[in-house]
Amino acid sequence: MADDAPTIRIIKKKKGDAGHHGGAWKVAYADFVTAMMAFFLVMWIVGLDKPVKQAIQSYFRDPVGFNRSTQGGKSPLSGGDQAALQDGKPSPLVPKSGAGGADLAVALKAAEAAIVTEMRKSPEFSALSDSVEVHMTDDGLRIELMEKTDALFFDAGSAQLKPRTVRLLRLMAGQLGKLPNPIMIEGHTDSHPLKGRMGYSNWELSADRANSARRAMEDQGLHARQVLAVRGYADNKLLRPDDPLHFSNRRVSILVAYPSAAK
């Protein structure tokens, strides 16, 4: 009779997650969103102006060096309000806010790249590459026009600009006039005593040369009241203090300043 007892069978069913309740779709969706973000980022960069692209390119080539030139060390891709300065149209190079921050640094780096590019494109100005330095400083963008030979930018002992110097200054003004930054123009001489007119010294010559540069740049490019100061230092800020008579001490320096530095 024991063999007739019913057999008890226990059936265990394995529960499997349905496809729409699993997590695989989340991974696929995340990949899709990432791809779309990358696509729109590429499209945004393609639509930027060439100077801005060059500034971004310089950041990714040397982010440490680039961040040293920014006051705040922020990414150059950070956004900012734009101000209209030319023809009533907003310029991507002219941030209205973030004084001393990454926005202004990007604009100045873009202007630096544009000026260097324009000079290299012109056979007339490429010959001056050894006499023109364009570089970022803690105060802003500084452009130095240094005499590497006698009477390169000015007539000897005079504040009269050479015709080529006028064209070079106007080229620079065309780029710097797009910026809201204040500009200070400085004149410097070497320590040679000036001979000629009675009472006319290196003080007057350095100030007059800076003022001649101001007039040339304001004639074409700089906007109204952009020049904040014109200064003549004579031989008090020598480029080569170890050789005060060296001709490279004779120069005009243009500082496109951060607003904080201008104060």
Side-chain angles (χ1 to χ4, degrees), residues 22-216:
W25 70 273
K26 297 178 183 178
V27 177
Y29 180 73
D31 291 342
F32 171 76
V33 172
T34 303
M36 291 300 295
M37 182 178 66
F39 171 75
F40 285 115
L41 181 61
V42 170
M43 295 301 293
W44 172 70
I45 293 176
V46 168
L48 292 175
D49 287 350
K50 184 176 180 181
V52 180
K53 291 180 185 176
Q54 291 171 336
I56 295 174
Q57 185 180 32
S58 66
Y59 169 79
F60 284 106
R61 282 180 175 174
D62 184 15
V64 176
F66 187 92
N67 282 333
R68 284 175 183 168
S69 68
T70 64
Q71 298 181 3
K74 299 179 182 178
S75 167
L77 301 181
S78 60
D81 295 334
Q82 309 298 325
L85 283 182
Q86 291 190 330
D87 302 326
K89 299 178 181 179
S91 167
L93 302 182
V94 187
K96 187 168 58 177
S97 63
D103 289 333
L104 286 176
V106 169
L108 291 179
K109 289 290 288 185
E112 175 190 10
I115 289 172
V116 171
T117 299
E118 289 298 318
M119 287 187 61
R120 288 175 179 172
K121 286 167 49 179
S122 170
E124 179 183 28
F125 300 139
S126 61
L128 300 175
S129 58
D130 292 340
S131 300
V132 179
E133 287 188 2
V134 187
H135 58 276
M136 293 294 299
T137 69
D138 292 338
D139 295 328
L141 177 65
R142 184 171 288 275
I143 304 170
E144 301 270 13
L145 277 64
M146 301 172 294
E147 296 280 7
K148 291 296 181 71
T149 59
D150 288 336
L152 179 62
F153 294 109
F154 295 87
D155 290 341
S158 166
Q160 181 65 44
L161 291 165
K162 297 282 189 179
R164 181 171 61 177
T165 311
V166 174
R167 292 190 290 271
L168 176 62
L169 289 170
R170 288 179 176 175
L171 178 151
M172 295 177 177
Q175 296 297 330
L176 302 181
K178 301 174 183 178
L179 303 170
N181 304 66
I183 290 177
M184 290 174 278
I185 304 175
E186 306 166 354
H188 304 269
T189 68
D190 56 27
S191 295
H192 280 287
L194 195 63
K195 300 177 182 180
R197 287 178 284 172
M198 184 68 66
Y200 192 82
S201 68
N202 282 329
W203 284 106
E204 286 78 18
L205 178 61
S206 60
D208 288 348
R209 286 185 168 181
N211 215 24
S212 294
R214 174 195 62 80
R215 285 192 294 267

